[in-house]
Amino acid sequence: MHFPLIPDFLFESIYTIDIQRLRARGVKLLLADLDNTLVPYSIKVPTDEVKAWRDKLKEAGITLFILSNSRKPGRAQRFAEALGVPYQGHAGKPKSKGFYQAMERMGVKPQETAIVGDQIFTDIWGGNNAGVTTLMVKPIEFGTIFRVLRYGIETPFRTRGKGGDTL
C-alpha cells in the first residue's frame, strides 16, 4: 500500500473517468463524495448530467453509492433518493468504518470498490485506509477562504497520483 494521502488516479471531473476501464479493473461499486465532487454545495437535486453519468455507470455494471460527510440534515438522503442510488450520510471519512459499512450493504469487497472525491484528507485518505481504489477529481468550486487554504495544503498530494488515462 502506498502513502495514504496520495490518490491512485487523478481526473478533471467525474465525467472524465473512463467507466469501461474502471469496470475492467473489477470495480462493481463506486462510492462518491457528494459536495464539490458530484455537484456544487448549493445544488440540492441531481442535475441531468449527473443522472446521465449514473446511467452510464449502471450500464457498465457499476453501482453508484453516495458516501457523504455532509453536516446538513437530510442533504445526502434527499439527493441520493432523487438520484435513485444508495447512500450513507455522516460517513465519518476518513475513518474506514463508513466505507466498510457501504461495501457490506452492497455485498462487495474492497478490491471491487472505488471512491471518487475532491478532498485528500477525507475521501482519499479514507479510501486508501479501507483498501479501495481512490479517484481524485478537481473540486467543482473553491468557495470559502477555508476551502481555498485546505486545497492549497492538499496540492502536494493531489499532484502525486497517476493520470486518469492510466486507469
Side-chain angles (χ1 to χ4, degrees):
M1 185 170 167
H2 59 73
F3 189 68
L5 297 179
I6 297 184
D8 291 316
F9 300 98
L10 304 169
F11 298 92
E12 285 293 314
S13 76
I14 59 171
Y15 306 110
T16 60
I17 298 169
D18 188 322
I19 293 169
Q20 295 305 320
R21 285 172 130 175
L22 192 62
R23 186 63 183 110
R25 290 183 67 89
V27 172
K28 296 178 182 176
L29 177 65
L30 180 58
L31 305 172
D33 177 51
L34 173 55
D35 291 316
N36 237 3
T37 297
L38 296 182
V39 294
Y41 287 86
S42 60
I43 302 298
K44 305 215 182 316
V45 295
T47 63
D48 289 341
E49 195 174 23
V50 169
K51 289 177 184 176
W53 184 70
R54 173 219 46 210
D55 292 344
K56 289 178 186 174
L57 287 166
K58 189 174 184 179
E59 289 168 16
I62 299 173
T63 300
L64 179 62
F65 186 112
I66 294 176
L67 189 67
S68 176
N69 279 356
S70 179
R71 293 185 189 120
K72 295 179 183 173
R75 169 141 171 80
Q77 178 181 355
R78 284 189 299 275
F79 193 94
E81 287 175 353
L83 190 55
V85 300
Y87 75 95
Q88 186 164 328
H90 308 290
K93 298 177 286 181
K95 294 177 186 169
S96 53
K97 182 180 177 182
F99 290 82
Y100 292 133
Q101 288 175 334
M103 289 185 278
E104 185 176 333
R105 274 180 61 194
M106 303 311 294
V108 298
K109 298 173 183 161
Q111 60 268 29
E112 299 170 314
T113 306
I115 174 113
V116 60
D118 69 305
Q119 292 186 50
I120 291 289
F121 297 115
T122 56
D123 308 312
I124 302 307
W125 191 3
N128 283 330
N129 285 339
V132 306
T133 300
T134 53
L135 314 175
M136 166 124 281
V137 294
K138 290 184 177 177
I140 294 171
E141 62 186 13
F142 286 100
T144 67
I145 188 66
F146 173 75
R147 280 192 220 125
V148 171
L149 293 172
R150 185 184 65 222
Y151 289 128
I153 292 167
E154 292 179 350
T155 297
F157 305 109
R158 287 176 174 279
T159 59
R160 301 290 303 268
K162 296 176 191 167
D165 59 335
T166 64
L167 178 68

